[in-house]
Structure formats: structure tokens, C-alpha cells
Amino acid sequence: TTAMLTQVFLTAGMDPTAIIGGKLPLLGGNSCVGKSDLMVCEACEYVDTYLQLTPAVSIILNIDADHLDYFKNLENIIHSFHQFASQTERLLVVNGDDENTKKAISGLEIPVVTFGIGEKNDYFAAEVGEETGVREHFALIHHGEKLCEIHLKVPGRHNICNALAAAAAAHQLGARPEDIARGLSDFTGVPRRFEILGKPGGVTVADDFAHHPTELTATLTAAMGMGFERVWAVFQPHTYSRTYLLLDDFARALSIPDRAVLSEILAVRETNTYHIYAKDLADKVPGCVWFTTFEEIADYIAGKAAPGDLVLTLGGGNVYQCAHMILDRLKTAQTIK
């Protein structure tokens, strides 16, 4: 969403400064310095980092149970977002379909604009559909008025919501509907967000940053609706605490694709005091297999994937390395044939 909003501002000639968590192709990097008074910044709730900010405008996309090693429970996360929202000076742009977000902003006197799929929102998507060569298409509606039509090159209902958030914020800050439409339609995504790496031998290999059950569900649901013969999800669990505390949620998400393959859990900043292992998650997912090394995963996938399949690596760590190993093996197999 940060990248989408930055692209809209650049398209509109609004010359923003931006700090983005991923690389924006239009910039060739993840930041830019503009001459206007607009600054777009991606904010992270982990260890309450975003409470160091006092934004003029805040976009809250959704609130979920995550970072429970720090927050302990969902109620504490909602309280944290309430504090973040209260530090916003001019406007809150929030997901009107998300109950936790609505709880977080309750009682605040700051002006609120809502976005979402539901028609009760100030900005919502109508005429949602797919077209050849385009991942998602929808009409942007504001208070009953059709502002523009948007053709997204990034897949999934979650990206429609991201685009709605960016569109709502941009429109509130003076961007014209035609610039919103062009900026979002020209947006090609950022690395590690359903990034297509190649299609050797008719097998599409892609990589995505999703590492929370809600993110996995959104990405894998989108993938399953894209017409592939089979969807292979190669997932690297990210932190012992998240895997242990959300184990059943992960199992439900990983049951969505046709095949699920797991690597070992990436420790990141933790030691395994939870005594949780990839096998514990694999045992809860029908047909799931797990391997100790990326090399083993790459060998397994290269031997099983067939033309028309999608192989999608997922995780917040270094699983993209596994994606490139798979890609190399498939290319080698294609050359030998």
C-alpha cells in the first residue's frame, strides 16, 4: 500500500518523499526525496515502533493477532493501534470492513474515512472482476459516485483492498481520479509480493513475503483462483513463537493449495523454548511434507512439478533463495530435455 500510494503521488506530479519497505520499480529503489510537504512512510507495529510517529494521516489496513511474543494477546495489539491512531493529527483512513480496526479507533475524535469491499464504506470497489492480461479490475466508488476504473496487475482481493486504501488517501490529499487510476494501473508490484521469477518448462515460479496465517490465506486463495493446474506452496515458518501460537491457523491456510511443502522454522531472534518443529505443522496439513534444507525442497519440487503448475515460495525470511534453487533446477531439466 505504501508503494501504491507513492506511485499515485508520483503519477499525479505531487513530488513526495517516500520510505517503503520494498523496492518500487518506478523508483528503482525503496525511497525518494521530493520537494513537496508530502511524506509517505511505512510503519511497523512490532515492539510499538510506530508509536514514535505522529502522522498527519494514518492508513490502518487491518489488525490481526501477530507478534504475540511481544503483545501477548489481540487486546494489547488493538490497544497499541488505538494509541497510534490517537497520535494522528488530521485524518484516519481505515478498513471499514475490519472489526478490530473499528475497535481500535473507537472513541477518537479524529476525522475518519473508511475503505473496503462493503458498500457502507466511504470508498469501495464495485464491478469487481478479472480480465485477460489484468489481474484484478474494479470501479472506485466514493459516496455513490464512480470516480474511475482501476486495472491492477497484482492479484488477489487483498490487493483490491490495498489499492482502495491508497486511492482513498490519495483522493483525500488532492490527487485526481484519473491520476489515481493511472498510478494504480501502472503499479507492477514490489519484490517478494507475488513476484513471478520465471516459467521454465511451463512451471510458474513465484515468491511472496506472506508469513502470517491471514497473509497466507489471502495469497493462497488468490493463487488457487488463477487457473493453474496445481498450486505448490513452499512455506518457511517465521519464528518459533508465531508458529507455536498460531499453529492451527497456519494449518488451515496451508490446506488451501493443492500441495504444501515446509522448510525448518526460521528462528530469527528466538531460541526454541516452545519446542515446536516444522513436523508439528506438517502433521496438521493433509499431504504436507517437510525437509531440513532448501536443496532437498528444490530437488523434490523439480521432480514433481509439471507444466501448468504454480510453485509459490512463502515466508518472511530467506525462502526466496529456495525459489531460485527451484528455478535453476527446472531450467536445467528443461535444457537436458
Side-chain angles (χ1 to χ4, degrees), residues 111-126:
V112 174
V113 165
T114 61
F115 65 87
I117 302 297
E119 294 184 6
K120 64 183 181 301
N121 293 294
D122 298 314
Y123 293 85
F124 67 91

Side-chain angles (χ1 to χ4, degrees), residues 93-236:
V93 180
V94 304
N95 185 344
D97 296 333
D98 185 63
E99 292 302 320
N100 292 332
T101 298
K102 289 192 284 187
K103 289 179 185 177
I105 66 170
S106 177
L108 298 177
E109 296 183 358
I110 303 160
V112 174
V113 165
T114 61
F115 65 87
I117 302 297
E119 294 184 6
K120 64 183 181 301
N121 293 294
D122 298 314
Y123 293 85
F124 67 91
E127 304 168 23
V128 177
E130 297 179 358
E131 296 178 4
T132 303
V134 183
R135 297 296 176 87
E136 305 288 350
H137 164 263
F138 66 94
L140 175 63
I141 310 298
H142 178 231
H143 291 161
E145 178 188 358
K146 181 175 179 178
L147 295 183
C148 58
E149 292 191 4
I150 294 171
H151 302 259
L152 291 179
K153 295 183 175 68
V154 288
R157 185 62 60 95
H158 58 296
N159 273 317
I160 293 177
C161 288
N162 292 339
L164 285 167
H171 191 241
Q172 289 290 314
L173 289 165
R176 300 177 303 172
E178 55 266 36
D179 290 326
I180 294 171
R182 186 158 61 92
L184 290 174
S185 297
D186 289 346
F187 179 73
T188 56
V190 295
R192 303 224 61 219
R193 299 298 193 280
F194 217 108
E195 181 184 9
I196 304 296
L197 302 177
K199 301 179 182 181
V203 178
T204 300
V205 180
D207 178 55
D208 195 274
F209 188 70
H211 57 280
H212 182 276
T214 302
E215 297 168 341
L216 287 172
T217 298
T219 301
L220 291 170
T221 299
M224 290 295 288
M226 294 173 68
F228 290 99
E229 292 293 331
R230 291 179 300 179
V231 173
W232 297 78
V234 179
F235 179 55
Q236 180 187 43

Side-chain angles (χ1 to χ4, degrees), residues 184-309:
L184 290 174
S185 297
D186 289 346
F187 179 73
T188 56
V190 295
R192 303 224 61 219
R193 299 298 193 280
F194 217 108
E195 181 184 9
I196 304 296
L197 302 177
K199 301 179 182 181
V203 178
T204 300
V205 180
D207 178 55
D208 195 274
F209 188 70
H211 57 280
H212 182 276
T214 302
E215 297 168 341
L216 287 172
T217 298
T219 301
L220 291 170
T221 299
M224 290 295 288
M226 294 173 68
F228 290 99
E229 292 293 331
R230 291 179 300 179
V231 173
W232 297 78
V234 179
F235 179 55
Q236 180 187 43
H238 192 261
T239 73
Y240 300 115
S241 60
R242 183 184 284 118
T243 306
Y244 176 79
L245 294 167
L246 301 176
L247 187 66
D248 289 339
D249 294 330
F250 276 117
R252 280 189 288 271
L254 290 168
S255 298
I256 293 171
D258 299 294
R259 301 285 188 276
V261 180
L262 300 182
S263 76
E264 292 284 12
I265 299 170
L266 186 67
V268 193
R269 52 188 172 265
E270 299 178 339
T271 55
N272 194 7
T273 57
Y274 297 89
H275 305 292
I276 185 76
Y277 301 93
K279 183 181 183 302
D280 299 318
L281 177 53
D283 287 345
K284 287 178 169 286
V285 180
C288 183
V289 296
W290 64 276
F291 295 95
T292 303
T293 67
F294 287 163
E295 287 80 5
E296 292 172 290
I297 293 173
D299 288 340
Y300 176 80
I301 293 292
K304 298 284 187 180
D309 288 357

Side-chain angles (χ1 to χ4, degrees), residues 39-72:
M39 179 178 181
V40 185
C41 177
E42 188 164 339
C44 177
E45 77 274 18
Y46 183 59
V47 298
D48 286 322
T49 304
Y50 62 169
L51 298 187
Q52 298 178 54
L53 302 174
T54 51
V57 179
S58 293
I59 300 174
I60 300 179
L61 300 172
N62 53 66
I63 298 173
D64 235 321
D66 196 13
H67 302 305
L68 295 177
D69 55 320
Y70 174 76
F71 287 112
K72 307 305 180 187

